[in-house]
Amino acid sequence: MTAPITVAAIAAATVVATNLVDFELDTPRVALLNANDQTSWSHIATAVALAIAAVIAILTAMRPGHRRTLWSAVAGALALLFVVEVSSVHVIVDRHSYGKLIYLPLLAVLVLCLWLLTLGSEQAPLVWAAILVLMLAYVVHVFGARVVEALGWGAGSWVYQVKVGIKEGAEFAGWLLLIVALTRLARDGSARSAGLDLRLGSRGKLARWTIASRIRRG
């Protein structure tokens, strides 16, 4: 689990750093570096990460297995979040006070399904790491600006810009962790299904051999 956490931490730190570099430049803000801009590299990377996670869940849901319903729910939630991320809905929601709270029921369903998928799985710690990082991002998205402004730091301050970097960096890092977690969960599920098929196949062969032996003796 160390490697995914390290990569996610580096990704988050890069978002914070590039946003602060852009903030300190003696020029107008550069959209590609400005983490608060919808066309920034961090927003694009987050959308790509969401798309990858959704595709993993969709492909896994298409396989036969007893957890197809859970995987389908995860796929649906991630696909919907991706559509929101890349559409104008994202901007419209952000315009409203505490608009991000509208995502709460969808995120709750996603967390519940992920929890159920990880029951008895070795990947549970990684999944919960992803969930906790995404929860941090969500809390900062909803309350961060108001808390920082209430303490006297406006959008033109370093503290505010660090908040922006943490908000976007944590979201990017959380989806990266979830990609790894979903990939491992899907792989583990395939291994369990293959093992079950092998056991069932062996039992079938044994049954057929027993029946044939009895026929020959008879």
Side-chain angles (χ1 to χ4, degrees):
M1 189 170 119
T2 304
I5 294 292
T6 302
V7 172
I10 292 173
T14 303
V15 175
V16 175
T18 53
N19 185 64
L20 289 177
V21 167
D22 174 53
F23 178 66
E24 283 299 304
L25 291 176
D26 292 328
T27 58
R29 300 296 298 265
V30 179
L32 188 64
L33 300 178
N34 181 0
N36 234 3
D37 195 290
Q38 298 299 311
T39 61
S40 67
W41 77 266
S42 58
H43 272 85
I44 295 170
T46 296
V48 171
L50 257 173
I52 293 173
V55 168
I56 293 170
I58 291 169
L59 293 177
T60 308
M62 293 171 64
R63 297 188 323 213
H66 68 288
R67 293 188 168 182
R68 290 184 67 180
T69 302
L70 289 175
W71 278 106
S72 297
V74 170
L78 291 174
L80 184 55
L81 288 170
F82 169 74
V83 170
V84 170
E85 182 70 24
V86 299
S87 69
S88 58
V89 175
H90 185 75
V91 178
I92 294 171
V93 169
D94 284 351
R95 288 175 183 165
H96 295 277
S97 180
Y98 299 108
K100 293 281 185 181
L101 290 175
I102 197 173
Y103 301 135
L104 196 55
L106 179 62
L107 295 174
V109 169
L110 178 60
V111 170
L112 175 62
C113 292
L114 289 172
W115 171 64
L116 292 173
L117 280 174
T118 58
L119 289 177
S121 171
E122 295 179 354
Q123 307 309 325
L126 185 57
V127 171
W128 279 108
I131 290 172
L132 289 174
V133 174
L134 288 170
M135 285 175 62
L136 169 64
Y138 183 69
V139 170
V140 177
H141 264 92
V142 175
F143 303 108
R146 290 168 180 79
V147 171
V148 171
E149 289 171 353
L151 294 174
W153 289 295
S157 68
W158 256 65
V159 173
Y160 190 96
Q161 294 304 318
V162 168
K163 184 274 302 179
V164 171
I166 292 174
K167 173 188 68 174
E168 302 300 336
E171 184 177 3
F172 182 33
W175 293 128
L176 288 178
L177 288 173
L178 192 61
I179 287 173
V180 178
L182 291 177
T183 301
R184 293 181 178 181
L185 278 171
R187 178 200 62 195
D188 292 351
S190 296
R192 283 194 297 271
S193 296
L196 179 60
D197 290 343
L198 181 61
R199 290 193 297 273
L200 291 175
S202 299
R203 291 173 184 173
K205 290 178 182 177
L206 178 60
R208 288 193 296 271
W209 178 82
T210 302
I211 293 171
S213 298
R214 290 177 179 175
I215 291 174
R216 285 197 297 270
R217 284 201 301 270

